[in-house]
Amino acid sequence: MIPKIDHIGIAVESIDEARGFYEAMGLEVAGIEEVPREGVRVAMIPCGESKIELLEATTPDSPIADFIGRRGPGLHHLCLASTDVRAATGELRDAGYRVLREQPTRGAGGCWVQFVHPKSASGVLVELSEPPEPAESERRPIGESR
Ligand code: ZN
């Protein structure tokens, strides 16, 4: 199930420079996180039920560096919230859509993420994102012993 648009990803040269525009409209950066395996720094800006995600490359071979090199800064991907990214991965692949990873991987915020190739989605890179499982300690009601 896809309950909402989770966020819209924008490739930027510099988070420090790009954030000013959103802050000028009263939005606030909720957090900045580095995702080393993706070679990116990520700033999340909550906006209603969704977020704007600013993506800055941290390595020359980062997918974001590659994107900016080819097309310049701009809209990078659309992220749909998913209640089950693993199931969605199998369903999309079975239906003939091109998913980029064999299985979902951990993205910013510990979310499970998968990407669908733009050729399968009208020219748009689509990310599917499922929030991480709550920590073991948060999963059980207080006082329950098992
Ligand atoms: Zn994203």
Side-chain angles (χ1 to χ4, degrees):
M1 191 186 134
I2 305 292
K4 64 173 185 175
I5 292 174
D6 188 82
H7 64 264
I8 292 172
I10 300 175
V12 301
E13 304 262 18
S14 158
I15 286 173
D16 291 341
E17 285 171 25
R19 65 188 288 175
F21 168 69
Y22 298 96
E23 289 168 337
M25 293 185 290
L27 298 173
E28 288 176 20
V29 173
I32 296 181
E33 181 185 349
E34 200 164 327
V35 186
R37 68 160 294 180
E38 310 281 350
V40 291
R41 248 177 108 219
V42 176
M44 279 295 186
I45 303 173
C47 183
E49 286 205 333
S50 300
K51 289 162 275 185
I52 294 161
E53 179 185 64
L54 303 180
L55 300 151
E56 175 191 300
T58 55
T59 61
D61 60 346
S62 158
I64 296 303
D66 179 59
F67 179 90
I68 289 178
R70 283 184 291 115
R71 307 166 61 161
L75 278 180
H76 181 262
H77 65 271
L78 166 67
C79 179
L80 302 174
S82 170
T83 53
D84 191 340
V85 170
R86 198 165 292 273
T89 293
E91 288 161 13
L92 287 167
R93 188 181 288 125
D94 290 350
Y97 297 105
R98 189 168 150 199
V99 293
L100 296 191
R101 293 169 184 169
E102 188 61 31
Q103 290 297 334
T105 54
R106 293 272 190 192
C111 291
W112 288 105
V113 299
Q114 176 62 276
F115 288 90
V116 183
H117 194 280
K119 287 209 161 93
S120 286
S122 308
V124 177
L125 176 64
V126 174
E127 176 183 11
L128 297 171
S129 175
E130 177 185 341
E133 304 80 4
E136 193 68 22
S137 57
E138 295 166 18
R139 208 177 293 159
R140 287 189 203 118
I142 291 165
E144 194 177 313
S145 59
R146 281 185 290 156

